[in-house]
Amino acid sequence: MCGICGIASFSGSPNQSDMVLRVVAMRAALEHRGGNGVGIGETTRTIFGAARLAIRGITDGAQPIIDRPSGVIVVCNGEIDNHRELRSLLAARGRAVRQATDVAVIPALYLELGEAFVQHLAGAFAVALWDPAAERLILARDRAGEKPLFFTSDDEEVSFATEIAALVGSARKPFAFDLAALGGYLRYGVFTAPSSPFSGINKVRPAEIVTIEKGSIRRRQYWRWDIVKRAKRPPTVDAFDRIFRTAVERQSDVDVPFGLFMSGGLDSSLVAAVVRDLRPEVPLKSYTLRFRESSYDEGDYALEMARRLRVEAVPVWVEAKAFPAELSRLIRLVGEPLADPAWIPTALLAHRAGRDVPLGLVGEGADELFGGYPTYIGAQFGET
């Protein structure tokens, strides 16, 4: 959960010292996202900042990363889970990547493939890259939009950050509230990209690459899930198992201790079982939400699964009195509300896990992929 930010100037004579001060302020607003070092990087017309949470390449992964001699500068929030395969590809093309951190593959991949580099990244990520030779800023977000990235622009410069608060606090002018975006939030329960609560602050869409040069902004989707067009094949357990195990193996291939978020349901239990099978020697802790109301509580199932898998179970009790303060804190940090009843309990779970481990594997997304929500059944009947 790193924090990234920066300013790219397209004016005739940028004020570098002013840009540095503003990026330092932006980075300070993001330091809660990473406790493993902060950095500032400077190249032609650009200042980038980062607050790092180290996951891979603990000793040599300081950001921003600057390629020499090209001057390409990169900051990234997230993980590049296929970095080992990308290292091999780049080495075969004469671009050896020496740093152990996964993010280090990005500058070389860009220099080799241009804007197509993002199509080769697997993982959850938000990337900002500046190419000084082309005077080009690239912002990109992972396919599912797991990592946030916001930006604001005018004729002279572009500013970007992981969180809205970093942009608002360092802006040269105030931002107005976006009433149209508020209407969308009330309808959908979320500020859908590219909108945000403020006019003038854009959210990079999932699977989008934004290319910004002087006088132009190009936005395009680099990936789509062609669920309708793609030819259907009968599913098999073996095919699913290969894909699932590869994903879990990649995401648990890290240089830090990690934990598990377990609810006792099929998705998180399956993640835990595969991790235990792939990495039997790794000591594991699981973190489970507990509720005093029995109708909400699934903790007994999670505790039983943890016992069977030889995982140390840590219960996290959710109390109503924690909600007002936690809601205020989350909105202040994120910069926008989210109408998800699981938002606050999940944040409380992450707080507790963060005392022990910097990384957690979760079962999020299974209902969306496999049709697990009861509302899907209602939608199907509604169409008949």
Side-chain angles (χ1 to χ4, degrees):
M1 194 181 77
C2 302
I4 62 173
C5 58
I7 300 173
S9 175
F10 296 97
S11 70
S13 53
N15 186 336
Q16 293 283 114
S17 60
D18 175 69
M19 288 168 59
V20 169
L21 291 175
R22 290 164 58 203
V23 171
V24 168
M26 293 166 70
R27 189 194 63 188
L30 298 170
E31 286 184 9
H32 62 277
R33 298 184 65 91
N36 300 116
V38 295
I40 290 284
E42 181 175 349
T43 185
T44 307
R45 296 185 174 277
T46 303
I47 312 292
F48 279 7
R52 187 186 184 216
L53 179 68
I55 300 298
R56 297 183 176 113
I58 305 301
T59 60
D60 70 349
Q63 294 193 48
I65 295 175
I66 303 178
D67 178 78
R68 305 296 184 191
S70 71
V72 167
I73 182 172
V74 168
V75 284
C76 177
N77 169 31
E79 293 79 48
I80 309 303
D81 292 327
N82 63 333
H83 70 106
R84 297 190 187 279
E85 297 94 317
L86 294 175
R87 288 174 190 276
S88 298
L89 180 150
L90 291 166
R93 300 189 181 192
R95 295 187 184 274
V97 178
R98 309 201 184 283
Q99 290 174 267
T101 182
D102 51 344
V103 177
V105 302
I106 296 176
L109 197 65
Y110 169 77
L111 291 168
E112 184 67 26
L113 302 175
E115 292 183 24
F117 83 96
V118 70
Q119 297 167 222
H120 294 260
L121 302 180
F125 55 83
V127 176
L129 179 150
W130 172 258
D131 181 348
E135 294 193 350
R136 174 187 302 136
L137 177 67
I138 292 176
L139 306 175
R141 198 171 171 205
D142 62 78
R143 291 162 180 78
E146 293 184 58
K147 300 298 181 180
L149 190 57
F150 301 88
F151 73 96
T152 182
S153 64
D154 57 32
D155 292 338
E156 294 189 346
E157 69 175 35
V158 178
S159 301
F160 67 87
T162 303
E163 294 175 3
I164 290 175
L167 290 175
V168 172
S170 64
R172 295 180 296 179
K173 59 183 180 180
F175 292 102
F177 198 73
D178 190 333
L179 293 178
L182 175 61
Y185 169 77
L186 295 175
R187 185 177 300 113
Y188 302 115
V190 64
F191 285 91
T192 56
S195 68
S196 81
F198 300 95
S199 59
I201 295 182
N202 294 274
K203 186 186 301 181
V204 179
R205 295 180 179 92
E208 183 178 50
I209 181 169
V210 182
T211 304
I212 306 171
E213 298 174 319
K214 186 175 178 61
S216 71
I217 298 179
R218 291 184 287 112
R219 309 183 71 150
R220 67 176 178 86
Q221 297 291 118
Y222 64 84
W223 176 85
R224 293 182 187 277
W225 187 13
D226 294 324
I227 190 170
V228 176
K229 298 178 181 179
R230 188 177 296 275
K232 302 299 187 291
R233 294 178 296 177
T236 67
V237 173
D238 288 341
F240 170 79
D241 186 64
R242 285 193 298 272
I243 295 170
F244 188 82
R245 291 173 73 89
T246 297
V248 174
E249 184 174 27
R250 281 177 169 177
Q251 292 180 33
S252 60
D253 178 20
V254 295
D255 299 333
V256 295
F258 61 91
L260 303 160
F261 286 13
M262 287 184 63
S263 67
L266 290 176
D267 43 11
S268 63
S269 298
L270 184 56
V271 170
V274 171
V275 169
R276 175 50 76 209
D277 183 57
L278 292 172
R279 309 194 185 280
E281 76 291 349
V282 174
L284 292 171
K285 285 185 177 182
S286 65
Y287 301 87
T288 299
L289 290 171
R290 301 300 307 264
F291 297 88
R292 306 295 177 187
E293 299 84 356
S294 59
S295 60
Y296 291 118
D297 188 58
E298 299 176 350
D300 290 342
Y301 298 106
L303 294 177
E304 174 61 19
M305 183 57 66
R307 185 189 66 78
R308 289 172 178 263
L309 295 174
R310 296 174 289 108
V311 174
E312 180 183 347
V314 179
V316 180
W317 288 94
V318 179
E319 307 287 353
K321 63 183 179 182
F323 274 59
E326 187 63 16
L327 179 61
S328 176
R329 190 190 72 86
L330 285 174
I331 293 175
R332 185 173 64 253
L333 288 178
V334 177
E336 57 183 23
L338 176 65
D340 183 347
W343 192 28
I344 293 175
T346 303
L348 295 171
L349 191 69
H351 279 317
R352 175 59 187 89
R355 287 156 48 184
D356 302 329
V357 294
L359 178 69
L361 300 184
V362 303
E364 292 294 325
D367 288 304
E368 288 80 359
L369 286 172
F370 299 110
Y373 288 114
T375 50
Y376 293 160
I377 301 174
Q380 182 180 9
F381 280 115
E383 293 176 354
T384 58

